[in-house]
Amino acid sequence: MLKKITIDQLEPGMFVHQIVEQKGTLSVKSQGRVTSIAIVDTLKKRGVKALTIDTEKAFNPNNESDAECTALQDPPLEAVDNKRIKRVALGAELSRAAKLHEQGKAIQQLLLQSVQKETPFDASIPKAFSNKLVESVDRNPDALLCLTKIREKDDYLLEHSLNVAILLANFGQFLGMSDEEVQDLSYAGFLHDLGKIKIPDEILHKPGRLTDSEMDIMKEHVQHGVDYLKGTDISAPLIQAIGEHHERLDGLGYPKGKKDAEISLAGRMLAIADMYDALTANRVYKAGMSSQKAFSILMNEAPTRLDISLVQQFIKCLGVYPVGSLVLLSNERLAMVIEQNDSPLTPVVKVFYSVRNSHYLTPKDIDLSSDKTVKVSKAAIPSDYNIDINAFFERSVVLG
């Protein structure tokens, strides 16, 4: 059973499943045995604040045979340099990422059709695609994050799961998870909402609040997806995480009413990414909210319903002004965030629109950490200024 503890509660004999809160850029191996108090001290020095342990893998560090047996299965914890290094420039990855994004929507469409017709699909296709997403994040995490902000109002069901997969790939890497864990996490995100195709369109796309009976029907999408995936070769842990993306720590989620330690780490992360993307998405009947407002709602949901340490790490992962989001600058110009800096309040932005004169400008990149003549006034959303952000992105970001 997984249990979340603070670093002060960590003792020799415990098995660390995941680091969930840490300060600094030097991370630790995602899993391993705590064989001595020296390891605990090392983790503290590395800035580890909170982690999850697997109580079923506990061992006696003073029992030589027990420790040796455990060593055959589980490696000891060790420090690793996990500082994120961008291997390629944003411009070099954007074109490839844009094609990948379109491919993802096409695959998602085929998966939904399979679920609707109750026919099997070749799981190797979405699995391979999810791995390609992770590879793109490895090359430059900002490229696909930019694309999560470029949405078509009629493609929500296709884009949502794709965006959640991208968010989880970034989140998993940020937390220092292993390559396999990140790939599985992204894969779960890509598959998590397949059951929605079984919900009647008049409920699924209803503008406005659902009635209680309609909400009961909407909630069935989780079980529809789980039931379908159980007939495939998708692994049980992935299906479990998918089944938990609407569970809440207080037990008031659905479909099982799980609470606290009953919800897996992947399920908790999926719940956060799913809610964030839903809040910021454009729909036919409403514009998506700013990332900052969505962050505020996530924090309000924690710690009662969402894991507060994971929410905080998710916000830190995306940054105060996430890549792809819009900001209004102090000179009354709009800009898109295209890269994060060490200081979360001074990203690199692409200026493209004059609010004062209501017209587009020749795009120009500005590093706000070095240019002190201008600063961010507030977050912005395209609908506030009646601008076509998709057209700008395709013309001046992907191609520019």
Side-chain angles (χ1 to χ4, degrees):
M1 178 184 295
L2 297 183
K3 179 182 179 182
K4 181 181 174 183
I5 63 171
T6 66
I7 187 63
D8 292 330
Q9 295 173 301
L10 186 65
E11 298 177 350
M14 292 181 176
F15 180 87
V16 174
H17 176 78
Q18 183 65 54
I19 306 299
V20 297
E21 184 178 354
Q22 178 187 1
K23 293 184 178 180
T25 59
L26 192 63
S27 189
V28 297
K29 198 165 185 176
S30 58
Q31 295 185 349
R33 297 173 292 115
V34 180
T35 57
S36 67
I37 195 66
I39 290 179
V40 178
D41 292 339
T42 298
L43 294 180
K44 288 181 179 179
K45 292 177 181 178
R46 301 300 185 192
V48 173
K49 300 296 182 183
L51 36 91
T52 55
I53 59 171
D54 189 336
T55 57
E56 295 179 359
K57 291 187 176 182
F59 64 99
N60 184 354
N62 298 317
N63 185 320
E64 187 173 330
S65 60
D66 192 2
E68 288 179 353
C69 180
T70 307
L72 294 175
Q73 304 173 38
D74 305 313
L77 282 170
E78 60 184 64
V80 295
D81 189 357
N82 192 47
K83 189 173 183 179
R84 295 168 63 188
I85 301 174
K86 297 178 181 177
R87 295 188 175 90
V88 301
L90 176 64
E93 183 61 23
L94 265 174
S95 179
R96 181 161 37 182
K99 293 176 182 177
L100 196 59
H101 199 266
E102 285 302 310
Q103 181 186 2
K105 289 168 64 174
I107 294 174
Q108 188 70 206
Q109 180 71 67
L110 293 175
L111 294 179
L112 290 168
Q113 290 173 356
S114 296
V115 177
Q116 188 172 42
K117 296 176 181 178
E118 298 184 359
T119 57
F121 64 78
D122 184 352
S124 66
I125 295 175
K127 174 62 174 174
F129 172 76
S130 298
N131 291 348
K132 287 182 180 179
L133 286 184
V134 175
E135 290 170 2
S136 178
V137 172
D138 282 337
R139 289 190 295 267
N140 189 310
D142 294 341
L144 280 170
L145 281 177
C146 271
L147 290 162
T148 64
K149 297 296 183 180
I150 308 305
R151 306 172 186 265
E152 300 294 337
K153 293 180 180 178
D154 295 328
D155 284 350
Y156 173 75
L157 193 55
L158 302 179
E159 293 177 339
H160 173 61
S161 291
L162 174 57
N163 289 345
V164 170
I166 294 168
L167 290 168
L168 288 173
N170 278 273
F171 194 16
Q173 287 194 350
F174 181 81
L175 291 181
M177 289 181 164
S178 68
D179 290 344
E180 183 178 358
E181 288 172 321
V182 174
Q183 289 168 358
D184 284 347
L185 193 62
S186 180
Y187 191 23
F190 194 60
L191 301 178
H192 85 282
D193 252 358
L194 290 180
K196 278 190 175 175
I197 198 66
K198 290 287 191 178
I199 305 301
D201 284 349
E202 60 269 21
I203 294 177
L204 186 62
H205 302 298
K206 179 182 177 180
R209 191 178 183 86
L210 298 177
T211 65
D212 290 345
S213 60
E214 289 171 336
M215 190 62 200
D216 287 340
I217 294 174
M218 177 65 85
K219 289 179 178 180
E220 293 174 359
H221 80 272
V222 179
Q223 197 60 47
H224 287 318
V226 167
D227 290 343
Y228 177 85
L229 292 173
K230 283 181 177 178
T232 70
D233 60 357
I234 306 299
S235 69
L238 259 67
I239 296 176
Q240 177 187 348
I242 289 167
E244 293 172 340
H245 74 272
H246 281 293
E247 300 288 2
R248 297 296 180 259
L249 298 181
D250 58 8
L252 298 180
Y254 62 88
K256 302 294 186 182
K258 291 184 177 182
K259 60 192 236 182
D260 296 330
E262 295 174 340
I263 306 172
S264 68
L265 176 65
R268 295 177 186 218
M269 295 173 69
L270 184 47
I272 293 168
D274 173 64
M275 184 179 293
Y276 171 79
D277 188 75
L279 291 171
T280 56
N282 289 326
R283 312 284 185 94
V284 173
Y285 51 86
K286 76 171 184 68
M289 66 180 62
S290 70
S291 296
Q292 290 67 34
K293 187 173 181 180
F295 290 157
S296 177
I297 291 175
L298 291 177
M299 286 300 295
N300 287 336
E301 291 286 296
T304 306
R305 306 187 74 200
L306 299 177
D307 187 312
I308 188 166
S309 65
L310 287 176
V311 170
Q312 291 170 337
Q313 289 297 306
F314 181 74
I315 295 172
K316 186 177 179 181
C317 170
L318 293 185
V320 177
Y321 302 111
V323 168
S325 63
L326 295 189
V327 291
L328 178 66
L329 303 179
S330 55
N331 59 3
E332 296 188 68
R333 294 184 174 184
L334 286 178
M336 175 181 281
V337 178
I338 58 173
E339 187 178 334
Q340 299 288 349
N341 274 320
D342 291 337
S343 171
L345 299 179
T346 57
V348 178
V349 300
K350 187 179 288 288
V351 180
F352 69 94
Y353 188 81
S354 170
V355 173
R356 182 184 304 167
N357 299 313
S358 300
H359 68 78
Y360 287 91
L361 305 167
T362 300
K364 178 183 178 182
D365 293 356
I366 299 178
D367 186 340
L368 297 178
S369 66
S370 57
D371 188 335
K372 303 302 182 181
T373 64
V374 64
K375 62 182 180 179
V376 175
S377 293
K378 65 176 183 178
I381 57 176
S383 58
D384 288 343
Y385 303 93
N386 196 30
I387 59 175
D388 187 347
I389 191 63
N390 290 18
F392 159 73
F393 184 85
E394 292 174 2
R395 180 179 66 251
S396 303
V397 181
V398 175
L399 299 179

